[in-house]
Amino acid sequence: MAGNTPNAAVKAFTKPIQDALVCFVDGKVTADTYDTDSEGVLTFNRATPTRLPGSVRIHITISMRYRVVRAPDEARGPWKVSTTGWIYDVLDRDEARIVAYHWHPISDSHAKHPHMHVTELGDKRHFPTGRVLIEDVLQLAVDLGAKPRDETKWSEIAERNRSNFALAATWGIGHPSVG
């Protein structure tokens, strides 16, 4: 998402994420910097396990790394937020991990590509995923038994966010490589 200032770009980036998450539960998306010279961290409820409503007790944690960068063209900016990594967890009733989506290209891990861990299959295995949106994590939670407050609103917001993201994405949505 783009903006006329770094601050506006971060706000444009966080708003659809906040909109999607509050379809399920109260909480706050926080971005820790608007600075163009450093990497920031975006979290939902400070990346603590947050229980989603539904027939099965499902929790999620959300943490994303980002940079505020110059947009590649004036129509997109002049400023935009570029995602540089993420850790999203889907947890069971005891807050034990079921699935984790990771992308940590700057780490000691040999898996620099977006991937997921499935606890039942061994947490050390890295299954390639491509780009993972917050909406993907929430949809998995729904598939596991979480329930949005308003299913119609959730569907509308998820579809809108995916469409808007696809228009502005520079990789992962109709783009074959990370970078």
Side-chain angles (χ1 to χ4, degrees):
M1 299 297 153
N4 289 328
T5 64
N7 189 324
V10 172
K11 287 183 179 187
F13 180 69
T14 60
K15 184 178 181 339
I17 295 169
Q18 179 76 42
D19 290 348
L21 288 162
V22 299
C23 285
F24 292 83
V25 65
D26 292 330
K28 184 169 172 103
V29 171
T30 305
D32 70 352
T33 188
Y34 303 101
D35 186 359
T36 60
D37 294 326
S38 62
E39 189 172 59
V41 177
L42 174 150
T43 61
F44 180 65
N45 290 346
R46 296 185 176 133
T48 60
T50 301
R51 182 172 184 247
L52 303 179
S55 61
V56 175
R57 285 181 47 191
I58 298 291
H59 297 77
I60 59 168
T61 64
I62 304 291
S63 178
M64 182 185 301
R65 300 188 78 74
Y66 66 92
R67 281 195 177 280
V68 181
V69 297
R70 285 272 181 195
D73 59 67
E74 280 300 310
R76 289 189 187 215
W79 298 98
K80 73 179 230 79
V81 170
S82 180
T83 306
T84 58
W86 59 72
I87 296 177
Y88 311 139
D89 291 322
V90 179
L91 311 166
D92 68 13
R93 68 175 22 258
D94 299 318
E95 298 182 10
R97 186 161 63 182
I98 300 169
V99 172
Y101 295 99
H102 289 177
W103 178 43
H104 38 75
I106 302 173
S107 74
D108 292 336
S109 173
H110 70 280
K112 307 287 187 203
H113 58 281
H115 59 275
M116 70 181 213
H117 301 273
V118 180
T119 301
E120 260 185 45
L121 301 176
D123 250 359
K124 298 295 182 193
R125 298 177 78 183
H126 298 85
F127 298 95
T129 61
R131 189 92 187 222
V132 177
L133 306 179
I134 300 298
E135 293 76 12
D136 300 326
V137 177
L138 291 169
Q139 187 57 56
L140 175 62
V142 168
D143 293 346
L144 293 171
K147 185 167 176 50
R149 294 171 168 167
D150 178 330
E151 291 183 30
T152 302
K153 185 175 181 182
W154 158 240
S155 294
E156 290 169 358
I157 287 174
E159 183 177 329
R160 180 193 71 210
N161 287 359
R162 288 176 194 280
S163 294
N164 289 342
F165 185 83
L167 291 173
T170 56
W171 71 272
I173 306 290
H175 299 278
S177 64
V178 174

